[in-house]
Amino acid sequence: MTNTKKGERLKMSKKIIIVYKSVTGFTKEYAEMIAQEMDCLLIDLKNVTAQMMSDIDIIVFGSRMHAGMIDGLKKAKQLFAQSKASQFIVFATGAVPNEEKDTIDEMWKNNFSSEELQGIPHFYMQSGLRYEKMPFSDKMMMKVFCGMMKRKKNKSDKEQQFADIIATSYDISSKSYIMPLVTFLKL
């Protein structure tokens, strides 16, 4: 057996769990794709315990970006810290297109300390908006924001595009967006 094959077998034997928090379904869909691709466990954050995580090598946590914050991240970090797992990885989903690097980088800075940004691998996956599945408070907040954007005079082209995009539900998710994370996990 060559070292490469032996190394590949050892890497694939690591226990991985995908823990997710999903409100409108995008994060759950991405989590399911990642779990299928990696042939690993998948569990909703509300059903996981630090003890469950202790039997795992790598914890991958995914949730939505909501008002600049990653929903449930604090709880996931606490559970990881209480567990015996060796690595914590995060993915966030959101309506922001992948090309909006500055907005995404700002979101990471809102959620991680400088040390965490260096030590916790993190990935972003654009998804979309599903008004029909949003909690009432989120839906109202978005509608108020849409109304403010609509009334704003002298909008830039970018602001106008943004206002148009958030006016209705849409889906810009793609299985291809999980590949950077999957590739990282397979290293």
Side-chain angles (χ1 to χ4, degrees):
M1 183 181 286
T2 68
N3 285 342
T4 304
K5 288 181 182 173
K6 184 178 181 183
E8 286 174 3
R9 197 173 84 215
L10 286 174
K11 287 176 189 163
M12 294 309 287
S13 68
K14 285 189 175 182
K15 291 183 184 176
I16 300 171
I17 189 171
I18 311 299
V19 178
Y20 68 91
K21 180 172 183 179
S22 190
V23 175
T24 62
F26 287 114
T27 303
K28 182 179 181 185
E29 290 167 11
Y30 276 128
E32 288 170 342
M33 287 184 234
I34 297 163
Q36 182 177 16
E37 194 72 31
M38 296 305 301
D39 191 26
C40 65
L41 300 169
L42 172 71
I43 191 164
D44 191 305
L45 178 64
K46 63 185 171 198
N47 298 323
V48 74
T49 65
Q51 185 174 354
M52 291 167 131
M53 289 180 163
S54 291
D55 295 333
I56 305 297
D57 299 307
I58 300 171
I59 309 301
V60 178
F61 173 69
S63 188
R64 68 181 177 152
M65 179 174 64
H66 179 64
M69 302 304 289
I70 300 170
D71 199 14
L73 181 61
K74 183 177 178 182
K75 179 180 178 182
K77 283 198 257 186
Q78 289 171 341
L79 289 168
F80 171 73
Q82 296 167 1
S83 77
K84 295 177 185 164
S86 58
Q87 188 170 24
F88 186 63
I89 299 169
V90 173
F91 75 90
T93 64
V96 175
N98 287 337
E99 298 78 35
E100 296 293 328
K101 303 279 187 217
D102 292 341
T103 302
I104 295 166
D105 287 344
E106 191 62 33
M107 181 266 304
W108 292 125
K109 289 176 188 173
N110 289 340
N111 287 275
F112 294 113
S113 67
S114 300
E115 297 80 27
E116 289 173 328
L117 278 172
Q118 297 298 314
I120 298 173
H122 47 279
F123 301 84
Y124 178 76
M125 299 166 198
Q126 69 183 24
S127 54
L129 289 172
R130 289 185 176 143
Y131 282 105
E132 63 280 4
K133 292 189 176 185
M134 276 186 196
F136 181 76
S137 59
D138 290 354
K139 195 182 301 186
M140 289 299 102
M141 181 179 70
M142 288 299 293
K143 292 297 180 186
V144 167
F145 187 67
C146 286
M148 288 171 36
M149 288 299 293
K150 208 179 235 185
R151 287 187 300 276
K152 183 178 179 189
K153 296 186 190 313
N154 302 320
K155 288 189 277 290
S156 68
D157 288 343
K158 191 174 182 176
E159 288 173 325
Q160 184 60 53
Q161 287 174 342
F162 181 68
D164 293 343
I165 288 172
I166 65 170
T168 60
S169 294
Y170 64 95
D171 183 347
I172 53 175
S173 60
S174 168
K175 186 174 181 178
S176 66
Y177 300 139
I178 71 167
M179 296 320 291
L181 173 53
V182 168
T183 300
F184 181 85
L185 289 169
K186 288 183 177 180
L187 290 178

